Amino acid sequence: MMIEALIAVALVGALVTFVAPNRIAGKLAFAISLVPAALSLWLFAAFDGSGNALLDGELAFESQAAWLEIGDHSVSWFVGLDGISLPLVVLTTILCTLAIVSSWTPIDERESQFYGLILFIEASLIGVFSALDFFLWFVFWEAVLIPMYLLIGIWGGPRRKYAAIKFFVYTNVASLVMFGSFIALVFGLGDSVTSFALPEIATAMRNGGLDGLFGLGGPALASVVFVGMFLGFAVKVPIVPFHTWLPDAHVEAPTPASVLLAGVLLKMGTYALLRFNFTMFPDQVETYAIPIAAIAVISVIYGAMLALAQTDLKRIVAYSSVSSMGYVILGLVAYTTFGVGGATFQMVSHGLISGLMFMAVGVIYNATHTRMVTDMSGMADRMPIAVGILIAGAFGYMGLPLMSGFYGEFTIFFGTFGSELLEYSPLFTSLAMFGIVIVAGYLLFALQRTVFGPYRLETDYEVGRAPVHDVASMGVLLGLIILLGVAPDLLFDMITDAIEPIIGGGL
């Protein structure tokens, strides 16, 4: 019942924090969040599973109990972890704890509700990464949407209502498309499945149990479902051209919400693509490999070019997330151990690096009340430690060796270049690698103008050293980025163990 304990502590903690006095809400939420963080690290240390959760793998911390009946199909409380989901659960608990700490400086109103919503997001995210029944998984999936909408709409910037509504509409419509596609899949499987359990559905799909539906034959229905689910998840990732909600959401969201949005919420989309599309539909992956790879490369290059054109630090980091998620999609469609494994590793790596970058931008904004590159210079003289960590995080984004970003990108490129499923794989790999050059360009451009040179600030705020708790939070993330860069097998071995049943071998 360890997964239930994780969810329960975060959920009960959210309710307790909601009714706590504002003056203690931040410290109380931090103390509560330490419990799921410690439990998740214990789960990581005690992990004893093998294979893939959906393909006859031996799950860790599995529990299942009957819940309700929907027609001829049963719904159950079914949770468990494998080498794909466990690293994302640990990422969630760590980032939520650090996001709470990063809220202590900027959040000075309605603190109880703010911290309660973060803990509610944490509980929902743990559910998304551990649920193995579609109905249960979808409940958690949708539960994440509401608190993030409120965090942006209440504590956001001047255009917070527009950004919150845009975020809600995009992601909710995408969820409806995905939900309808999956229900069509369940009905198309007919008597092959008797529940919404994802392992049962994945096994039935692998065994070719899909019948016709709505006048469509099995292969045609599989293609329709694959495309529908891909589009639904693509909005959450997001990839071009479904990315336009993300920069607005990031710019208007308070810093802690941006940390969670980039660090974990975007990974919901790539995780779902791996669990559903790339696990259940191997034939369709081969059929649509070239268009998906093209979309991935376009996202890499276009996202990086958009970042290069920005002068708002938050928009720069926001568009860089679009580019980074393109690498993940490219690794997934390569359908090799290193490609898919590298993509999964990159989900965790990008969560840490993007969380660090947004946290650093938030620290600078708290001190200067501006995020514009043209409004400041010489920040290294006034905030040397915080700026040093920002620079280190930027090098992580650029793929500096011995940092997690390098290993994630290298394994993706290695796995994609040698892909036998993806035609023209060397061409797609080469084009995607060019994105690294653009990433270095826009990050160095921004850093050169904001942190180096003589001190200058276009606002009347006096800039001093960053608060100790902010520096400590960023330091923890930087330490994890370096740790995974130096010792990537801490994650990669368990990831590849869960990946191999999906792709059936190969580099």
Side-chain angles (χ1 to χ4, degrees):
M1 302 291 288
M2 293 303 298
I3 298 174
E4 288 84 350
L6 276 173
I7 297 172
V9 169
L11 188 58
V12 173
L15 297 175
V16 172
T17 305
F18 267 122
V19 299
N22 284 329
R23 68 179 184 277
I24 67 168
K27 304 302 188 293
L28 176 63
F30 171 69
I32 293 172
S33 70
L34 288 175
V35 179
L39 285 175
S40 69
L41 290 174
W42 182 87
L43 295 181
F44 185 83
F47 178 73
D48 184 19
S50 63
N52 187 275
L54 271 59
L55 299 175
D56 297 324
E58 294 182 8
L59 300 181
F61 316 109
E62 176 186 2
S63 62
Q64 188 171 10
W67 184 6
L68 51 88
E69 299 289 332
I70 299 180
D72 296 330
H73 297 81
S74 61
V75 175
S76 63
W77 174 276
F78 186 13
V79 294
L81 297 173
D82 66 0
I84 295 172
S85 52
L86 179 56
L88 293 171
V89 169
V90 176
L91 174 69
T92 297
T93 59
I94 291 175
L95 276 186
C96 284
T97 298
L98 299 179
I100 289 172
V101 175
S102 71
S103 307
W104 290 351
T105 299
I107 304 302
D108 56 5
E109 61 178 1
R110 305 178 73 170
E111 291 99 322
S112 300
Q113 290 77 28
F114 182 89
Y115 293 111
L117 289 173
I118 288 184
L119 290 173
F120 187 85
I121 286 179
E122 180 176 15
S124 302
L125 286 169
I126 294 170
V128 167
F129 296 131
S130 61
L132 294 172
D133 180 282
F134 175 76
F135 192 88
L136 176 66
W137 177 87
F138 189 74
V139 170
F140 284 123
W141 176 274
E142 289 297 284
V144 174
L145 178 63
I146 300 170
M148 183 55 68
Y149 167 80
L150 294 174
L151 288 175
I152 298 172
I154 297 176
W155 289 273
R159 301 177 70 244
R160 58 185 178 272
K161 292 183 179 178
Y162 167 79
I165 292 173
K166 190 173 183 179
F167 162 76
F168 187 89
V169 170
Y170 267 67
T171 54
N172 199 41
V173 170
S175 294
L176 290 175
V177 173
M178 175 269 295
F179 182 82
S181 299
F182 193 86
I183 294 302
L185 171 64
V186 172
F187 279 104
L189 288 170
D191 296 335
S192 300
V193 295
T194 59
S195 72
F196 285 93
L198 296 180
E200 182 182 359
I201 294 171
T203 301
M205 282 297 299
R206 287 273 180 157
N207 293 334
L210 189 62
D211 299 325
L213 187 69
F214 306 129
L216 297 173
L221 178 61
S223 293
V224 170
V225 171
F226 179 88
V227 172
M229 294 180 67
F230 182 88
L231 293 176
F233 297 137
V235 174
K236 183 74 80 174
V237 172
I239 57 176
V240 177
F242 308 110
H243 66 286
T244 57
W245 64 269
L246 183 65
D248 291 318
H250 272 309
V251 168
E252 300 304 324
T255 296
S258 289
V259 169
L260 294 180
L261 183 59
V264 191
L265 265 70
L266 302 190
K267 312 309 176 291
M268 292 169 58
T270 49
Y271 170 80
L273 281 171
L274 176 55
R275 277 290 191 228
F276 292 86
N277 289 73
F278 291 91
T279 297
M280 299 182 182
F281 298 87
D283 293 338
Q284 281 64 43
V285 171
E286 183 174 3
T287 300
Y288 296 103
I290 289 180
I292 294 174
I295 291 172
V297 171
I298 291 171
S299 294
V300 169
I301 303 298
Y302 187 65
M305 293 297 292
L306 287 175
L308 185 62
Q310 306 305 311
T311 56
D312 185 319
L313 287 174
K314 250 195 173 183
R315 282 192 176 271
I316 291 173
V317 182
Y319 279 117
S320 68
S321 292
V322 176
S323 182
S324 295
M325 290 298 97
Y327 288 124
V328 174
I329 301 300
L330 184 63
L332 292 178
V333 78
Y335 227 57
T336 61
T337 300
F338 276 96
V340 181
T344 308
F345 185 92
Q346 180 71 351
M347 293 183 207
V348 179
S349 171
H350 178 264
L352 296 172
I353 296 174
S354 62
L356 171 60
M357 294 296 288
F358 275 112
M359 208 174 284
V361 170
V363 169
I364 292 175
Y365 179 77
N366 293 337
T368 65
H369 285 243
T370 181
R371 295 189 304 264
M372 304 306 294
V373 172
T374 55
D375 287 347
M376 56 183 136
S377 67
M379 296 303 297
D381 292 335
R382 299 300 178 95
M383 308 174 71
I385 299 177
V387 166
I389 295 175
L390 169 64
I391 294 172
F395 281 122
Y397 241 132
M398 292 182 234
L400 187 73
L402 300 183
M403 302 185 83
S404 62
F406 170 79
Y407 192 80
E409 292 174 359
F410 173 79
T411 49
I412 289 173
F413 295 148
F414 183 81
T416 303
F417 193 89
S419 174
E420 296 180 359
L421 179 142
L422 178 60
E423 197 174 358
Y424 311 116
S425 57
L427 174 61
F428 286 117
T429 307
S430 302
L431 291 173
M433 291 177 68
F434 181 70
I436 298 176
V437 178
I438 308 175
V439 169
Y442 66 68
L443 287 177
L444 293 176
F445 174 86
L447 292 175
Q448 179 67 31
R449 283 153 181 78
T450 57
V451 304
F452 299 115
Y455 173 74
R456 177 183 60 82
L457 186 64
E458 295 294 335
T459 66
D460 296 329
Y461 293 90
E462 182 64 27
V463 177
R465 294 182 182 271
V468 174
H469 59 267
D470 286 332
V471 173
S473 297
M474 294 189 294
V476 170
L477 289 177
L478 180 58
L480 292 172
I481 292 166
I482 295 173
L483 175 63
L484 291 182
V486 174
D489 281 348
L490 287 172
L491 290 186
F492 199 71
D493 284 347
M494 70 165 56
I495 288 172
T496 52
D497 182 61
I499 293 299
E500 287 174 354
I502 299 175
I503 53 93
L507 291 176

